[in-house]
Amino acid sequence: MTDSRYLKRTIVKEVIASSFLNEERPLRIYLPPGYNEVLSYPVVYCQDGEEFFNFGRIATYANQLILDEGVEPFIIVGIEVDVKKRTAEYAPFGNRHEAYVRCIMEEIIPFVEQKYRARENDRILAGDSLGGSMSLHLSLLYPGEFPRIISLSGAYYGESQDIIARESDLSWLDTYMVVGLQEDEYETDHGTFDFVDLNRRTRDLLQDRGATVRYAEKEGKHLWGFWQKELPDALMYFLTH
């Protein structure tokens, strides 16, 4: 990953004023090598956007995949979050969840698709932990708008599983799920959970409703050191088939 071609990245920082959240929300936008206003591109929207860029090295991996692996060029939009408000925005029981959903749908996506050559209806949602479950919830709220989900150790608590269980037909959904085997007793801000079991149960709920699920359990902890290594395969899964 020291090749200078991978490290020469185009990352634009934007800020939108959200009327739903009553605050400004920073975005990080990666543009692929050879970005051309005449073309259009798939878009990967990332929860915890700052971490995907800083700890996940997603822009560097994107360059590598596009330049060397034949992956179709794509745009990445990292939606940043204030960690103090993260649970309130990402969790379905959070008091800012509805406002955050509307911010994405009515402010962030229209902004991106107006300013950049983002291909409409060719979107991927990505998230780690609670960001993974947030991505799935957003997909379920708007069927067909986000048919592809990258879930890195998704935090699928009881409320999330209940939401999925109420669905009847998820044959339109394709989800890439991975969880670390050392995540079986992970302490969160509202309890200790077995993330392996949570992800297994969620996989089964999705598959029982017809969703396509690429699922893996690997040696790893609930950390970016684990998730970073999974990003290339996750991106290639959706952008090469």
Side-chain angles (χ1 to χ4, degrees), residues 108-121:
I108 292 175
I109 290 178
F111 170 82
V112 170
E113 294 187 348
Q114 180 178 15
K115 186 167 183 179
Y116 297 94
R117 295 296 296 159
R119 189 180 301 157
E120 294 183 15
N121 299 318

Side-chain angles (χ1 to χ4, degrees), residues 81-225:
V81 65
D82 180 345
V83 293
K84 295 177 182 177
K85 302 173 183 176
R86 185 173 182 269
T87 298
E89 291 181 358
Y90 286 6
F93 50 81
N95 60 10
R96 289 170 61 91
H97 182 71
E98 182 178 350
Y100 180 61
V101 167
R102 293 194 69 183
C103 172
I104 292 176
M105 296 304 301
E106 299 180 43
E107 295 172 330
I108 292 175
I109 290 178
F111 170 82
V112 170
E113 294 187 348
Q114 180 178 15
K115 186 167 183 179
Y116 297 94
R117 295 296 296 159
R119 189 180 301 157
E120 294 183 15
N121 299 318
D122 196 355
R123 311 179 187 117
I124 298 168
L125 291 176
D128 64 284
S129 193
L130 205 53
S133 53
M134 167 63 209
S135 296
L136 181 57
H137 292 314
L138 183 59
S139 178
L140 297 182
L141 286 170
Y142 296 89
E145 294 289 329
F146 310 98
R148 297 170 292 176
I149 305 296
I150 294 173
S151 172
L152 308 172
S153 305
Y156 297 107
Y157 304 131
E159 294 86 350
S160 294
Q161 294 185 30
D162 289 344
I163 290 171
I164 299 168
R166 290 196 290 269
E167 298 288 334
S168 58
D169 179 11
L170 295 178
S171 58
W172 51 269
L173 181 65
D174 194 350
T175 305
Y176 184 104
M177 300 177 67
V178 64
V179 65
L181 290 168
Q182 283 70 52
E183 298 183 60
D184 56 342
E185 201 170 355
Y186 182 71
E187 293 185 16
T188 73
D189 56 2
H190 56 285
T192 300
F193 294 90
D194 182 344
F195 270 65
V196 180
D197 182 64
L198 293 179
N199 277 264
R200 287 174 181 170
R201 290 174 181 268
T202 300
R203 172 202 60 194
D204 293 346
L205 285 168
L206 293 172
Q207 290 179 332
D208 287 348
R209 285 151 183 80
T212 299
V213 182
R214 167 78 174 269
Y215 181 85
E217 297 173 4
K218 300 184 180 181
E219 295 295 320
K221 298 180 180 180
H222 200 80
L223 297 167
W224 269 107

Side-chain angles (χ1 to χ4, degrees), residues 14-32:
E14 301 275 12
V15 177
I16 67 162
S18 172
S19 61
F20 298 109
L21 296 172
N22 294 313
E23 65 182 30
E24 294 186 333
R25 182 54 52 107
L27 306 175
R28 297 189 186 202
I29 299 178
Y30 160 88
L31 302 177

